[in-house]
Amino acid sequence: MRIRTILTAGDMSTLSAILSGALVDPSAQRLALAIYERENDHTTIEFRHFQSTMDYELAWKWIRIVTSLVQVASKPASEFDHKLQLIATEYQRMDGRWRLYTWDKTFGQETIDPWLNSWEWMLPILDLQDDVPFWRDYVARLPGRNELS
């Protein structure tokens, strides 16, 4: 229910109101505090990849990724297993790409780490294909990101 509430917020100002408890809908109030009240619950997932930002669009895209991960994990077992199989298949493909990258790097060839673009296959698995253009543009602007090593 909390994830659904966050996803239906629609924009950062509404999400801010939800988290502050300013909205009257009891199912949407105090989401952040409700999470912290579960002191003895050790099922927390910590995402350290997210960088601090004042860019509301970037923050919103990260929220969509995190909530999509939770939604995938909350699906019935057969759907969850299907998503895991898709991820496992991509990881198997990455093994060959990683070996080639390591080989090229060892022998001084110019190459790009294949894991740097793994987001391209992960977003559609998380049903976030609409976010691909945003992330493609964002990643392309990162300094030194697309340089050969």
Side-chain angles (χ1 to χ4, degrees):
M1 179 180 75
R2 291 184 177 127
I3 297 302
R4 190 176 327 116
T5 302
I6 290 171
L7 284 176
T8 57
D11 58 52
M12 290 301 285
S13 60
T14 305
L15 182 63
S16 176
I18 290 170
L19 293 176
S20 71
L23 298 180
V24 248
D25 179 5
S27 69
Q29 287 185 2
R30 313 297 287 177
L31 292 179
L33 292 179
I35 293 167
Y36 290 117
E37 286 173 8
R38 298 168 47 185
E39 291 176 9
N40 295 325
D41 184 349
H42 301 290
T43 59
T44 303
I45 299 173
E46 187 172 330
F47 295 91
R48 291 184 175 215
H49 185 69
F50 176 72
Q51 72 277 19
S52 298
T53 185
M54 297 301 286
D55 178 342
Y56 74 92
E57 186 176 21
L58 177 61
W60 186 248
K61 296 299 184 184
W62 275 114
I63 289 168
R64 286 178 47 80
I65 288 173
V66 172
T67 55
S68 291
L69 287 169
V70 173
Q71 283 182 322
V72 165
S74 301
K75 289 186 179 293
S78 62
E79 291 180 57
F80 180 62
D81 287 347
H82 174 70
K83 293 288 187 176
L84 285 180
Q85 185 58 49
L86 292 172
I87 292 169
T89 299
E90 290 299 332
Y91 266 78
Q92 288 171 342
R93 290 181 182 149
M94 289 302 288
D95 184 52
R97 294 175 191 150
W98 179 254
R99 288 175 194 263
L100 181 60
Y101 167 76
T102 305
W103 179 268
D104 288 346
K105 190 116 172 107
T106 301
F107 292 101
Q109 307 273 340
E110 288 187 343
T111 187
I112 295 179
D113 182 343
W115 284 105
L116 293 176
N117 295 319
S118 59
W119 60 271
E120 290 178 333
W121 56 261
M122 184 59 77
L123 289 176
I125 290 173
L126 295 173
D127 298 322
L128 293 172
Q129 51 275 10
D130 292 346
D131 290 354
V132 168
F134 170 85
W135 287 108
R136 186 173 291 125
D137 292 344
Y138 178 77
V139 168
R141 292 190 312 261
L142 294 175
R145 165 61 172 73
N146 299 304
E147 295 175 6
L148 294 170
S149 57

